[in-house]
Amino acid sequence: MSIIAAFVVPHPPLILPEVGRGQEKGVQATVDGFRRAAELFGRDKPDTVVLISPHSVMYEDYFHISPGAEAWGDMSAYGAEGPRTHAVYDREFAWALEKEAGKRKLLAGFLGQKDKNLDHGSVIPLRFFQEAYDGFRLVRIGLSGYPALEHYRLGQCIAKVAEDMGRRTVVVASGDLSHKLKSDGPYGFAPEGPEFDRQVMANLAAGDFLALMNMDANLCESAAECGWRSFVVMAGTFDGRRVKASQLSYEGPFGVGYGICAFEGGASDGEREFARIYLDKESETITAAKAGEDVYIRAARYSVEEYVRHHRIVKKPEELPQDIRKDLTEHLLKGRAGAFVSLKIAGQLRGCIGTISPTKPTLLEEILRNAVSAAAEDPRFGPVEERELSRITVSVDILGAAEPVDSIDKLDVHRYGVIVGNGHKRGLLLPDLEGVDTAEQQVDIARQKAGIRKGEPYELERFEVVRHEAL
C-alpha cells in the first residue's frame, strides 16, 4: 500500500479558539476547509501520517526527522491556555525513511533536535485531523535549504517506504502561502505575494506538480512564503501516479494566504514521472548553457570539477586541458583583479566566494582558486558533491577598482557593487542581484555581511563588474 491521500493545509494560530478569541471567524473559509479535509481524513483511517512542517527543525543541507516515541505540543507560545496535542511516532517508518533517503544520497535523519515539542505547524493540523480520527502514528519531518528537486525526491522516499512497509499512509503538507498580500498586513505588500498564491493554488488544484516544482525560487522568496517546499515534498509522494486534486478553500484576509487542497492517489502514469522529466529538461538547459560558456567560465568549471572529483587544485594554465588553454586571453594570463565565482543549481545559489582585490599573480589563478572555494568553502553550504556537478551553472564576476563615495545616492544597484567598511570589518555585495532592488537594500546586506551593527558608522566604496555568464 502506497500513499492513499494527501492534504495541503495552512497553520494560522488564530484559527484555534484559544488563540483567536473570536478572530477565527475572520478565517471561516479556512475553518470550513479544514473541517472538510478532516472529514476526508477520517474516512481514510490511515496507519501512518507523514507531516511536513516548515516550523520543525530546519537545516540548510539536511532533512530532520523527529526522533523518539511520542511528542506533545500546545499554543502557549501564543499566550493561549488550551488542550495539549499528543502524537505517537511511527518509529519503524522513520527509521526506514532515514535508510531509504541514504540509499538515494539524501541527507536525512534524527540529528540536531533541540526542542522535542510539536511546533505550531504540526499542532494545528493535528488538532483538526485527530478530531476525525486518532488511530494513527506520526512521522514529522522538517524542510531544508536544498532546491525543489531534493524536496520532491524526499517525497519519493516517503512513498517507497509506505509501499514497502504496507502502511496506509496519508501525507500532510503544512504551510502558509504568501505573507505579503496586503499593505496593512503584518508583513506589508509585495506584488509577488498575490502572484505566488495564484500560481501555487492553480498548480495544486490542477495536480500540476511539475509546474509547482518549477516555480521561480526568487518569486517564492519575494512572496515571503513558508509552505512551497512542504507542498513539493507532498507532490513527490505521488511521482509516477495519477492524482485527483480538489481545492477546498483559499483566502488571505489578514495579508497571509491560506490554502487547503486534498489529493487522492490513482493508477501509475509514466507521463507523471516528474523527477525524471525535471532532470531531463534541466540536462537540456545545462547542455545549452555550457555551449555558451566563455573561457572564464570554462576555466572555473574545470577547477570545480577537478577538485570535487579528484581533490586536485588546479593552479596554473598548463594544468588546464588544451581546449581551454588555447582560448586563454592576455587579460587572464597577465592581468590581476578581484574575482567572484558563483555556483547555482536550479537558479538557487549553491556557493559563492571571491576576493575584493587580487591575491594571486594572475587573474586566471584568482579564478581557479576562488572556484574551489565556492565549491568547498562557502560557510553557508556543504561542499559540492560529485552527483551535483551535472546540475551546476557557473558565473564569474571580475571586479573593477573600488572608489570611495560619500553618499548612498551615488550608488546604482544595477551598475555598481558596494563595499561597506568600518575598520577591519568589510562587507561586499555584487551588483544586479535578484531580489536586491534598491541601494538601501544593497548597503544593508553588505553591512550585515561585514558584521557592522545597525547605527554604527561606516564608509562606502563602489565598483563596477564585468560579469561572465553563459549566453
Side-chain angles (χ1 to χ4, degrees):
M1 180 67 68
S2 188
I3 307 302
I4 57 174
F7 299 91
V8 158
V9 295
H11 46 245
L14 58 79
I15 201 172
L16 300 181
E18 66 266 28
V19 179
R21 298 182 177 91
Q23 290 189 77
E24 62 271 22
K25 296 176 182 177
V27 287
Q28 191 60 47
T30 302
V31 173
D32 294 342
F34 248 125
R35 287 174 176 161
R36 176 60 179 151
E39 179 183 349
L40 296 172
F41 177 88
R43 293 177 187 173
D44 290 330
K45 292 184 171 54
D47 302 318
T48 298
V49 170
V50 178
L51 193 155
I52 306 105
S53 171
H55 298 289
S56 183
V57 181
M58 180 174 174
Y59 294 99
E60 185 67 36
D61 55 358
Y62 186 78
F63 290 105
H64 183 267
I65 305 169
S66 295
E70 56 188 340
W72 287 262
D74 57 33
M75 302 304 289
S76 58
Y78 295 88
E81 293 183 4
R84 298 193 79 198
T85 298
H86 174 238
V88 177
Y89 285 139
D90 189 335
R91 290 188 290 179
E92 293 80 11
F93 193 111
W95 292 334
L97 180 57
E98 179 190 39
K99 185 176 180 180
E100 181 63 29
K103 288 180 184 176
R104 302 188 187 211
K105 307 297 184 184
L106 281 176
L107 291 175
F110 310 109
L111 302 176
Q113 177 171 272
K114 297 179 181 177
D115 184 355
K116 296 181 180 180
N117 294 315
L118 298 171
D119 62 280
H120 77 275
S122 302
V123 167
I124 293 165
L126 288 173
R127 280 277 293 274
F128 281 91
F129 290 136
Q130 285 179 335
E131 287 178 4
Y133 177 71
D134 64 356
F136 61 86
R137 292 177 181 264
L138 181 70
V139 177
R140 186 168 62 122
I141 305 172
L143 303 176
S144 78
Y146 284 129
L149 179 62
E150 275 59 45
H151 288 79
Y152 191 90
R153 291 178 60 227
L154 180 65
Q156 291 179 288
C157 294
I158 293 167
K160 183 66 165 60
V161 172
E163 183 173 1
D164 289 349
M165 299 189 73
R167 294 281 207 272
R168 289 176 52 81
T169 303
V170 167
V171 176
V172 177
S174 177
D176 296 337
L177 300 176
S178 173
H179 288 62
K180 292 195 172 185
L181 298 183
K182 291 186 175 183
S183 57
D184 59 352
Y187 303 94
F189 174 79
E192 293 88 352
E195 178 59 19
F196 171 85
D197 281 17
R198 184 194 69 78
Q199 289 189 29
V200 167
M201 294 307 296
N203 293 336
L204 290 174
D208 192 346
F209 298 153
L210 183 60
L212 180 73
M213 191 167 29
N214 273 316
M215 285 185 64
D216 185 346
N218 293 308
L219 171 69
C220 299
E221 183 176 356
S222 297
E225 56 78 33
C226 80
W228 174 54
R229 286 168 292 179
S230 287
F231 310 156
V232 173
V233 175
M234 178 280 299
T237 66
F238 290 112
D239 187 66
R241 295 177 64 194
R242 296 175 187 171
V243 172
K244 179 182 177 182
S246 305
Q247 179 176 315
L248 304 183
S249 67
Y250 171 77
E251 63 182 339
F254 302 116
V256 180
Y258 305 132
I260 299 179
C261 294
F263 305 90
E264 182 181 342
S268 297
D269 186 346
E271 293 185 0
R272 292 182 61 85
E273 293 176 355
F274 293 138
R276 174 185 57 79
I277 295 169
Y278 183 96
L279 283 170
D280 287 347
K281 179 62 177 177
E282 186 180 71
S283 178
E284 292 175 9
T285 301
I286 295 293
T287 299
K290 285 183 177 180
E293 291 178 346
D294 65 16
V295 69
Y296 293 78
I297 304 173
R298 286 155 54 207
R301 180 183 290 279
Y302 183 79
S303 180
V304 168
E305 292 177 349
E306 282 297 291
Y307 182 79
V308 173
R309 289 194 175 113
H310 308 298
H311 302 287
R312 184 172 77 94
I313 297 177
V314 179
K315 298 179 180 180
K316 299 292 182 181
E318 54 267 26
E319 299 175 48
L320 295 168
Q322 176 60 26
D323 66 313
I324 296 177
R325 287 204 312 272
K326 67 181 179 59
D327 292 332
L328 293 175
T329 64
E330 187 172 352
H331 183 223
L332 283 165
L333 294 172
K334 296 183 179 179
R336 299 187 74 221
F340 274 73
V341 176
S342 300
L343 312 177
K344 290 185 178 181
I345 293 179
Q348 287 187 250
L349 190 66
R350 184 60 181 86
C352 178
I353 293 289
T355 43
I356 296 175
S357 55
T359 62
K360 301 294 182 185
T362 69
L363 176 56
L364 175 64
E365 292 172 77
E366 200 83 30
I367 292 170
L368 293 174
R369 186 61 186 87
N370 290 346
V372 170
S373 297
E377 298 169 10
D378 190 328
R380 297 168 293 181
F381 307 96
V384 170
E385 298 177 23
E386 186 170 353
R387 64 182 177 84
E388 298 177 289
L389 291 176
S390 63
R391 303 184 60 206
I392 281 177
T393 57
V394 182
S395 63
V396 178
D397 289 295
I398 310 302
L399 278 59
E403 59 178 355
V405 293
D406 57 11
S407 169
I408 199 170
D409 296 333
K410 294 181 180 178
L411 299 176
D412 181 333
V413 70
H414 299 294
R415 178 180 178 184
Y416 296 112
V418 67
I419 300 170
V420 179
N422 180 340
H424 68 280
K425 295 187 286 188
R426 301 181 85 199
L428 176 147
L429 199 68
L430 297 169
D432 205 23
L433 298 178
E434 287 277 0
V436 183
D437 302 314
T438 67
E440 287 77 12
Q441 285 179 288
Q442 189 184 41
V443 169
D444 195 51
I445 295 170
R447 175 188 61 77
Q448 294 179 53
K449 290 176 70 175
I452 299 172
R453 294 191 302 272
K454 197 169 185 177
E456 276 191 84
Y458 56 77
E459 297 176 343
L460 295 175
E461 297 175 87
R462 71 183 186 186
F463 59 91
E464 292 190 272
V465 161
V466 176
R467 178 161 294 161
H468 297 261
E469 54 190 354
L471 300 176

